[in-house]
Amino acid sequence: MAVLEIVKFGHPVLSAQALPIENINGDLQKLVSNMIETMYAAPGVGLAAPQVGIGKRLAVIDVTAGEDPSTLIVIINPEIKESEGELVRDEGCLSVPDFTAEVVRPKRVFVTGMDLNGKNVEYEATDLLARAFCHEVDHLNGKFFLDRLSAIKRELIKRKIRKKVQAGEW
Ligand code: NI
């Protein structure tokens, strides 16, 4: 296993639609192992494949950030089929380090996808787990939590990022 480089806001793979996964093979299993290790090393509660430079519809989630690895979820081709309610919480992203903002997300979602054995899976998720699913599915659609903010808040953060880029700190 290996800790992979996490690409940051501005990298084109993060702004593109990730492609559905059709074959689960050894390469994919290796990628998943490395993504899990990368997420735990960060540490983070979720990581989508585009964040390690791979434009495929795959994410790993552990809302305990490794404290209880039994909560680990690997989901391939996730789709949010239903969502309900609203919850505002501070949210960050490993690809947008050092920035957080309050983001409105559904309180409850129903998610379908596939596990690493190619078996169909579904999750009924609330609160933080619902937020994590929404955040990671956004990544697979080329979106960031920044896209969920008001234009003013978004531009403020983007301006700060541009300054970091110019200073060679991004
Ligand atoms: Ni993220």
Side-chain angles (χ1 to χ4, degrees):
M1 297 219 289
V3 173
L4 306 172
E5 186 198 345
I6 297 176
V7 299
K8 292 183 189 150
F9 177 85
H11 191 295
V13 73
L14 290 172
S15 304
Q17 279 281 333
L19 299 174
I21 292 173
E22 311 204 339
N23 291 312
I24 297 172
N25 55 27
D27 283 348
L28 190 80
Q29 282 162 346
K30 192 174 159 200
L31 172 64
V32 167
S33 297
N34 290 339
M35 282 175 61
I36 292 166
E37 190 168 341
T38 304
M39 172 176 70
Y40 286 153
V45 298
L47 190 69
Q51 294 183 273
V52 293
I54 308 289
K56 291 185 179 170
R57 304 190 79 79
L58 161 70
V60 295
I61 294 171
D62 180 347
V63 292
T64 73
E67 271 180 44
D68 178 5
S70 72
T71 61
L72 175 68
I73 292 170
V74 175
I75 192 153
I76 295 167
N77 302 335
E79 284 183 48
I80 294 170
K81 296 288 192 182
E82 288 172 29
S83 64
E84 194 181 82
E86 280 189 355
L87 208 58
V88 181
R89 288 283 182 277
D90 244 16
E91 198 171 309
C93 177
L94 296 174
S95 293
V96 193
D98 303 332
F99 293 98
T100 58
E102 287 193 330
V103 182
V104 185
R105 296 286 190 185
K107 175 153 178 60
R108 186 194 71 89
V109 291
F110 178 69
V111 184
T112 62
M114 219 163 48
D115 70 11
L116 207 43
N117 299 312
K119 199 173 125 255
N120 289 329
V121 290
E122 47 186 52
Y123 293 93
E124 174 97 41
T126 57
D127 303 306
L128 181 57
L129 184 57
R131 178 170 300 269
F133 273 120
C134 293
H135 182 112
E136 302 314 328
V137 170
D138 268 2
H139 274 305
L140 304 182
N141 293 326
K143 281 193 156 58
F144 290 87
F145 75 92
L146 303 177
D147 297 303
R148 305 279 176 193
L149 306 180
S150 69
I152 290 173
K153 284 186 187 164
R154 180 167 56 247
E155 281 314 310
L156 191 69
I157 293 178
K158 282 188 177 175
R159 201 180 308 149
K160 288 180 182 166
I161 292 174
R162 278 196 292 272
K163 278 190 187 155
K164 280 179 179 269
V165 171
Q166 282 162 6
E169 293 166 357
W170 193 253

